[in-house]
Amino acid sequence: MLLSRLASTIAVVAIAATPARAMLVTSLPNATAFTLGAYNINGPGPYSDGSGNAWQSTDTSGVLGWTSPYSFGANGSWSGTPMIGTGGATTQMTLTFGTGYAAVGGFMSYMPGGPAPVIAAYNAQGALIDSATMSFLTGGGANTGAFYGFSEAAPVIRKLVLSNASIGMKNIVVQATPTPIPEPGTLALLGGLAALAVARRRRA
């Protein structure tokens, strides 16, 4: 009976100790800031920073390195920090990286009241890796928003695409290597130790 309980406890603890490998992340604490200059460009592009990174919008509403006031309606406005933005619900903004990253993200906002805003990650072949729909409300104010990003098990993210709404992104960060995942043996050891601790408490 005790062995059965221990086995069940170990299985539960091992599962709990396994980190979720969800693609969508709300922070990337170990990431590096991505340099986005104060270009203040309004137009379709494409534009390159000379290191392989490029930006392109599907029409003239897109902005790159924008620092002037930029409104998101009920979600407030941004100014001061260079941003990229779609400018409208029918515009798509693509940020292409000169190298693959395991994780990318940034501070986001959008104009509510229209189509659901989408951020998507693609690999070098143009295949979709993951996408997310934003639905937060900030209550307005200056420079408000939320962090959205994607994390992968390999440095395969080569493009970020903002679409379907007036969306802005700033304070972009990138991570070249994946976040380490504990080995199965380590997880089993952690599960066993936790199970022993539980069993000792029960005896007491």
Side-chain angles (χ1 to χ4, degrees), residues 5 9 19 26 36-37 59 65 73 76 94 118 121-122 127 130 134 139 155 160 163 170 174 184-185 194 199:
R5 284 181 182 171
T9 305
T26 55
L36 181 62
D59 61 42
T94 300
V118 175
Y122 293 82
D130 200 12
M134 295 179 280
L160 274 184
S163 62
K170 65 180 179 177
V174 294

Side-chain angles (χ1 to χ4, degrees), residues 75-103:
N75 269 352
S77 63
W78 287 357
S79 65
T81 303
M83 60 169 281
I84 60 174
T86 62
T90 59
T91 307
Q92 187 177 82
M93 167 66 74
T94 300
L95 168 56
T96 302
F97 301 105
T99 187
Y101 289 109

Side-chain angles (χ1 to χ4, degrees), residues 38-189:
Y39 308 126
N40 286 302
I41 296 173
N42 189 180
Y47 302 101
S48 174
D49 66 359
S51 63
N53 302 309
W55 298 262
Q56 187 163 12
S57 173
T58 53
D59 61 42
T60 57
S61 298
V63 297
L64 166 63
W66 201 256
T67 59
S68 299
Y70 192 94
S71 175
F72 296 107
N75 269 352
S77 63
W78 287 357
S79 65
T81 303
M83 60 169 281
I84 60 174
T86 62
T90 59
T91 307
Q92 187 177 82
M93 167 66 74
T94 300
L95 168 56
T96 302
F97 301 105
T99 187
Y101 289 109
V104 297
F107 195 65
M108 313 284 297
S109 194
Y110 70 96
M111 184 176 291
V118 175
I119 175 174
Y122 293 82
N123 65 16
Q125 290 72 44
L128 177 66
I129 297 173
D130 200 12
S131 65
T133 300
M134 295 179 280
S135 60
F136 61 86
L137 296 176
T138 68
N143 297 307
T144 54
F147 186 96
Y148 273 75
F150 299 105
S151 180
E152 253 291 2
V156 295
I157 301 174
R158 292 294 296 268
K159 290 184 179 181
L160 274 184
V161 178
L162 312 180
S163 62
N164 216 35
S166 180
I167 308 171
M169 183 178 190
K170 65 180 179 177
N171 298 330
I172 302 169
V173 292
V174 294
Q175 189 170 305
T177 56
T179 301
I181 303 175
E183 294 296 326
T186 304
L187 292 175
L189 177 61

